Amino acid sequence: MLRRFTQVDVFASGPYTGNPLAVVLDGEGLSTEEMQRFARWTNLSETTFLLPPTTPEADYRVRIFTPDAELPFAGHPTLGSCHAWLEAGGEPREKDELVQEGGVGLVRLSATGGGLSFQAPPLLRSGPVDDELLDRIIASLGITRDDVVAAEWADNGPGWVGLLLADAEAVLALRPGTVPHDVGVVGLYPEGSPCAYEVRAFFPSQGATVEDPVTGSLNGSLAQWLLRTGRVKAPYVAAQGTAIGRAGRVRITTGPEEDVWVGGDVITSVTGQVEL
């Protein structure tokens, strides 16, 4: 059957500068295998399928797929799916507030004049990275232990390991080999710069390393780490995608309970129908 479809650009600073996301707006009735096959075909970092919620607290439900597997949560699919749902006529139960149901549970979103943002889920894992894995990650990035200022688990679903380097220039200079694990690398810009820091996200896929253009889940978990350790102060803007010709911008704010909110602009690029 024909199903409504849209492709959006998330965390964009202008047309085609962010991270693209494919959204199937009518996902009901599709099997997991059919969803995975379509996500593999789009060959984007993520494809989402919108479904009716199974709990009265949620406005809609989403399933998130990479070309290889389903994810319990990811940031740019959360913002992009919400944008697509609203643009397709979705009406939230509460003005300017939405609740998304997904594999990680319920995720709160805000839709105000400043754009969409989501409340970053709490970290599933934090703290030191074991030496063996850390050594493998560092070697795959072509750097040494002396180049790493700090390293921690920053896992809020996808399993990120966070590495802090000396500065943004060091992050942009990376030329990784095959990484053994999902890793986010961050380096601060000088005080007073338009962006607080530069982010790069690498993950293994089919024997190669893929660099994600702009990564909401990683920015949310990095923010919790860097804010907790006093390395940044919110609100701020993070840059990502510079090294691969994008210009992603992620807005980080905090709520009254010091919860982290991740926001950015979403632009609709393609609309139509797909046969699924």
Side-chain angles (χ1 to χ4, degrees):
M1 62 178 286
L2 291 175
R3 299 173 187 269
R4 292 178 298 164
F5 171 82
T6 186
Q7 188 164 314
V8 298
D9 194 20
V10 187
F11 297 120
S13 58
Y16 313 113
T17 58
N19 198 352
L21 173 75
V23 184
V24 176
L25 293 156
D26 307 307
E28 195 169 16
L30 289 172
S31 68
T32 297
E33 291 73 20
E34 288 170 323
M35 292 181 183
Q36 184 65 74
R37 182 169 64 244
F38 185 68
R40 189 174 298 118
W41 178 81
T42 68
N43 203 35
L44 296 175
S45 58
E46 281 97 9
T47 298
T48 64
F49 300 83
L50 301 188
L51 302 153
T54 63
T55 173
E57 293 88 357
D59 292 295
Y60 63 91
R61 181 162 65 99
V62 66
R63 294 184 69 181
I64 304 169
F65 289 81
T66 73
D68 301 319
E70 185 171 6
L71 296 178
F73 172 77
H76 101 274
T78 292
L79 284 193
S81 296
C82 183
H83 170 90
W85 184 79
L86 289 169
E87 195 170 64
E91 295 185 4
R93 294 175 302 105
E94 300 291 338
K95 184 179 181 339
D96 297 334
E97 294 183 5
L98 300 96
V99 177
Q100 173 182 284
E101 178 186 357
V104 77
L106 299 180
V107 177
R108 293 174 57 204
L109 293 107
S110 173
T112 63
L116 289 173
S117 61
F118 66 86
Q119 186 182 37
L123 296 183
L124 302 175
R125 186 176 184 181
S126 59
V129 183
D130 65 88
D131 287 338
E132 189 271 338
L133 176 58
L134 183 57
D135 285 341
R136 290 168 57 207
I137 290 173
I138 289 172
S140 73
L141 296 175
I143 57 178
T144 69
R145 281 262 188 167
D146 290 340
D147 298 312
V148 178
V149 176
E152 263 197 37
W153 284 100
D155 178 12
N156 56 3
W160 297 108
V161 169
L163 264 63
L164 176 66
L165 302 188
D167 52 34
E169 185 177 346
V171 173
L172 292 171
L174 291 174
R175 298 296 181 266
T178 303
V179 297
H181 193 86
D182 295 4
V183 56
V185 190
V186 58
L188 301 179
Y189 279 105
E191 190 172 349
S193 301
C195 295
Y197 55 71
E198 185 74 35
V199 176
R200 294 180 73 179
F202 306 108
F203 58 89
S205 178
Q206 300 179 356
T209 292
V210 175
E211 180 166 359
D212 199 43
V214 201
T215 318
S217 65
L218 175 61
N219 275 279
S221 60
L222 288 175
Q224 292 175 69
W225 173 32
L226 298 176
L227 287 166
R228 173 175 53 81
T229 55
R231 291 184 167 98
V232 293
K233 294 181 180 180
Y236 65 83
V237 175
Q240 190 178 349
T242 308
I244 55 174
R246 307 290 177 88
R249 296 293 182 267
V250 181
R251 295 189 292 267
I252 299 294
T253 57
T254 53
E257 298 179 0
E258 298 186 356
D259 47 332
V260 172
W261 288 77
V262 181
D265 293 335
V266 184
I267 301 172
T268 300
S269 304
V270 178
T271 59
Q273 294 178 314
V274 292
E275 189 169 356
L276 278 171

